[in-house]
Amino acid sequence: MRRLDQLLANLGYCSRSEARDWIDSGAITVRGETAEGPAQKAHAADVLVDGEPLDHPDGLLLLLHKPLGLVCSHELREGPNIYSLLPARWQRRNPVITSIGRLDKDTSGLILLTDQSLLVHRLTSPKHKVPKRYRATLASDLSPIRATEIAALFASGTLMLPEEKTPCAPADLTMISLREAELTLTEGRYHQVRRMFASQGHEVIALHRTHFGSLELGVLTPGQWRVLPLNSFYTVDGATNA
Ligand code: URA
């Protein structure tokens, strides 16, 4: 049970002080009865706002098609961010909605967002080896012979990137054409895909993430998102099921 003013403020409806006026106006009910005041305690499932249930009171997990040009950081000095694509109420939630890992400003594609810190930790931990698949466009042709060599190196788990202390985990490379590659990683180091290709003398000029675990973008166009069930990644024993 939580105080009504806290519940409304944390779900982004209003500030705690505004909640008092709102509750006094009679817009909030608890189990069908007009709410008594901001300090009243209630289960989120029993609360209606103007007759409507609360907006995802147990937490949010979203799958977003990240467009190019937006950053995943909340730091406004880093430029326009992906959170500006979300409804204003969700932008005011506490805990805040944050991305599960990051994509660069110049990378598009599938990114998960959540207000569940446990999910962020589980799905970004290299321990869980969640596969993430990228489509990379190269600036120059990669001959089939060279592609075979690079694929073997990426798969070997021995590739050392400049200024890193440990080699990259084994990654799966499939060429779609001479300049189009599909690379699947189980970790998420800074600029990893671009740096892996750069280490082999190839510049990535476009990068798009197509899969995260078993999830795909489906029909979402850039900027669109869909809500996923919060338990999408949990099996009955609580282990990650990505
Ligand atoms: N690798 C990159 O280089 N950039 C991304 O955004 C993700 C993976």
Side-chain angles (χ1 to χ4, degrees), residues 2 35 61 74-75 92 104-105 110 154 177 191-192 199 216 231-232 234:
R2 276 198 286 165
L61 174 61
H74 282 97
E75 177 53 71
R92 293 191 298 261
D104 305 333
K105 187 175 177 186
L110 195 166
F154 285 1
S177 69
H191 287 183
Q192 188 168 351
S199 75
E216 297 181 51
N231 62 3
S232 298
Y234 293 104

Side-chain angles (χ1 to χ4, degrees), residues 81-123:
N81 65 40
I82 52 174
Y83 310 102
S84 63
L85 298 168
L86 302 179
R89 185 190 293 152
W90 290 1
Q91 295 182 44
R92 293 191 298 261
R93 283 173 75 113
N94 177 21
V96 292
I97 297 176
T98 188
S99 64
I100 300 181
R102 287 187 177 186
L103 292 177
D104 305 333
K105 187 175 177 186
D106 299 330
T107 302
S108 58
L110 195 166
I111 185 131
L112 297 176
L113 310 178
T114 190
D115 56 2
Q116 307 288 297
S117 57
L118 195 66
L119 256 188
V120 176
H121 290 127
R122 276 175 182 255
L123 295 175

Side-chain angles (χ1 to χ4, degrees), residues 102-104 107 134 185 189 191-195 207:
R102 287 187 177 186
L103 292 177
D104 305 333
T107 302
Y134 297 86
L185 306 181
R189 303 183 191 210
H191 287 183
Q192 188 168 351
V193 174
R194 295 176 204 273
R195 288 165 69 218
L207 188 59

